[in-house]
Amino acid sequence: MLRLPEARTDTAMSELVPEPRPKPAVPMKPVSINSNLLGYIGIDTIIEQMRKKTMKTGFDFNIMVVGQSGLGKSTLVNTLFKSQVSRKASSWNREEKIPKTVEIKAIGHVIEEGGVKMKLTVIDTPGFGDQINNENCWEPIEKYINEQYEKFLKEEVNIARKKRIPDTRVHCCLYFISPTGHSLRPLDLEFMKHLSKVVNVIPVIAKADTMTLEEKSEFKQRVRKELEVNGIEFYPQKEFDEDLEDKTENDKIRQESMPFAVVGSDKEYQVNGKRVLGRKTPWGIIEVENLNHCEFALLRDFVIRTHLQDLKEVTHNIHYETYRAKRLNDNGGLPPGEGLLGTVLPPVPATPCPTAE
């Protein structure tokens, strides 16, 4: 009979060769019983339940516009949501010239369509680049974005948390590029490099009607190349594609559509018996929503109809979590917050790891 070697009890050997761990139990493969159901259960109503609940609470979406003065940032946002959302309607009407933005200003509106309510906040920023000294001109905007993360974080760590924390975090930043037809300015590159680390940046070529079709195509390619060379990641970021379907769809956007070359206008004109948004020129009407004229419709579909929810999820799961982790790491625990009785919450001590007996 073959004799098995005796187990060694030497302490040194036991430290070198750990005991084999039992293999985890493999769960049984679920068996489809759909064909054997004896009657209707109602599982398929879960989606409808979620829809009803979401319809009651509504949606939040916060969009920021950033760029050089005079590129039509406020006008484009009005065009995007087909209403005067960049200014309070009570103080400004369609026929008046949009006043110049001189400070960071958040303006909230409730938009309703098909029974769905969305609280839209437009963060309008002052134009930059026309000062004598433009050094660090991105800092006020970066500070504003981080302040919104800080507000959300403080609400999260409160003992008496609100049932629904107000979300003022910036979900999307439209960065307006001047239609020079040459290359990006060093200031644009530096600005986007800083902003892309804290928010979803979507580059947009403003007033695209000032370029020919060939100039527009070449400029778009040149901008994409410059962003890639300088390591600037715009939304949708490659590493956040969840599956092959997302990757295929987003690759097409990254390689063909970005940056969107758009024309903004909140004035209507009569074209072939229809009222259309457009810009009147000596040689005709430039229709904002006509893909043969500009890519505004592609931008609108991208931001609102296909990627709005993903913009919010990337903001929460990536940008906010990055800020949150840094704050907790810097403070060695939770940041100070107001407790139930107005007391300051102390940092949570680190839990010691159990030592082996």
Side-chain angles (χ1 to χ4, degrees):
M1 180 184 295
L2 180 63
R3 187 175 180 183
L4 296 172
E6 294 181 0
R8 297 191 57 179
T9 57
D10 186 78
T11 307
M13 285 298 295
S14 63
E15 290 177 358
L16 291 172
V17 184
E19 293 183 5
R21 295 180 181 178
K23 291 184 178 180
V26 179
M28 291 180 64
K29 187 177 179 181
V31 180
S32 176
I33 58 170
N34 187 51
S35 57
N36 298 327
L37 291 178
L38 300 177
Y40 177 69
I41 298 176
I43 297 172
D44 58 351
T45 64
I46 293 174
I47 301 298
E48 181 62 19
Q49 292 173 44
M50 292 170 67
R51 191 189 70 84
K52 284 183 178 178
K53 195 173 182 68
T54 308
M55 290 272 282
K56 287 180 183 178
T57 56
F59 298 87
D60 292 313
F61 189 62
N62 308 318
I63 184 169
M64 174 182 271
V65 288
V66 177
Q68 187 180 344
S69 299
L71 292 181
K73 299 186 293 293
S74 304
T75 302
L76 185 79
V77 176
N78 287 341
T79 315
L80 198 61
F81 294 97
K82 293 191 175 180
S83 57
Q84 313 305 323
V85 293
S86 69
R87 294 291 185 277
K88 286 291 185 186
S90 59
S91 61
W92 182 78
N93 64 61
R94 189 181 287 266
E95 299 304 318
E96 293 177 357
K97 185 178 179 181
I98 297 179
K100 185 177 180 179
T101 307
V102 294
E103 61 182 358
I104 297 177
K105 187 179 290 185
I107 300 170
H109 292 264
V110 176
I111 298 176
E112 185 171 355
E113 183 181 50
V116 179
K117 289 183 180 179
M118 182 172 75
K119 184 188 175 187
L120 172 71
T121 302
V122 177
I123 302 101
D124 212 348
T125 62
F128 61 83
D130 45 9
Q131 291 84 17
I132 295 173
N133 181 11
N134 295 303
E135 187 178 358
N136 299 335
C137 59
W138 56 82
E139 286 184 351
I141 296 173
E142 189 177 9
K143 181 185 175 187
Y144 177 89
I145 294 168
N146 285 328
E147 282 174 351
Q148 309 318 306
Y149 292 146
E150 183 69 17
K151 278 184 189 177
F152 198 88
L153 179 59
K154 284 184 176 178
E155 288 287 350
E156 271 196 332
V157 300
N158 277 346
I159 292 176
R161 286 201 300 187
K162 295 175 182 176
K163 186 177 179 182
R164 191 168 182 233
I165 299 174
D167 190 1
T168 60
R169 298 170 297 180
V170 181
H171 301 126
C172 170
C173 172
L174 295 181
Y175 188 91
F176 285 67
I177 298 168
S178 181
T180 62
H182 301 295
S183 59
L184 290 171
R185 300 180 305 163
L187 184 59
D188 287 322
L189 293 169
E190 200 64 31
F191 219 109
M192 282 191 274
K193 192 175 289 185
H194 282 82
L195 289 189
S196 62
K197 295 174 183 176
V198 295
V199 72
N200 296 316
V201 173
I202 299 176
V204 171
I205 298 172
K207 298 187 175 181
D209 53 322
T210 60
M211 295 185 290
T212 66
L213 294 177
E214 293 77 14
E215 288 172 341
K216 182 175 72 174
S217 178
E218 289 175 8
F219 189 45
K220 281 165 65 81
Q221 291 178 25
R222 197 173 296 121
V223 169
R224 284 196 295 266
K225 186 67 176 175
E226 287 189 67
L227 293 175
E228 183 182 351
V229 168
N230 287 275
I232 298 170
E233 291 192 351
F234 52 82
Y235 179 86
Q237 301 89 336
K238 291 180 183 178
E239 63 265 35
F240 304 150
D241 293 340
E242 293 185 356
D243 51 37
L244 187 60
E245 184 183 354
D246 278 356
K247 185 179 184 305
T248 304
E249 180 185 354
N250 289 338
D251 275 346
K252 187 176 181 182
I253 293 168
R254 286 186 284 258
Q255 294 165 13
E256 297 177 15
S257 301
M258 290 286 185
F260 295 97
V262 300
V263 175
S265 175
D266 44 22
K267 292 185 178 179
E268 289 186 337
Y269 296 94
Q270 192 87 13
V271 176
N272 297 327
K274 293 191 300 183
R275 301 289 293 177
V276 298
L277 289 171
R279 292 188 67 203
K280 191 173 183 179
T281 66
W283 52 88
I285 305 293
I286 298 168
E287 298 174 41
V288 167
E289 297 182 86
N290 188 333
L291 283 174
N292 293 321
H293 294 187
C294 77
E295 297 170 350
F296 169 81
L298 294 178
L299 173 65
R300 179 201 57 207
D301 291 353
F302 176 67
V303 172
I304 300 173
R305 301 182 183 181
T306 62
H307 284 71
L308 188 146
Q309 185 59 32
D310 189 64
L311 281 162
K312 295 183 66 174
E313 288 176 5
V314 171
T315 298
H316 180 76
N317 298 329
I318 307 299
H319 297 300
Y320 170 67
E321 281 301 316
T322 301
Y323 177 86
R324 178 178 171 276
K326 186 177 184 301
R327 283 287 279 122
L328 299 186
N329 187 55
D330 289 347
N331 290 339
L334 290 173
E338 292 296 321
L340 282 170
L341 302 176
T343 56
V344 175
L345 299 175
V348 176
T351 306
C353 296
T355 55
E357 291 296 325

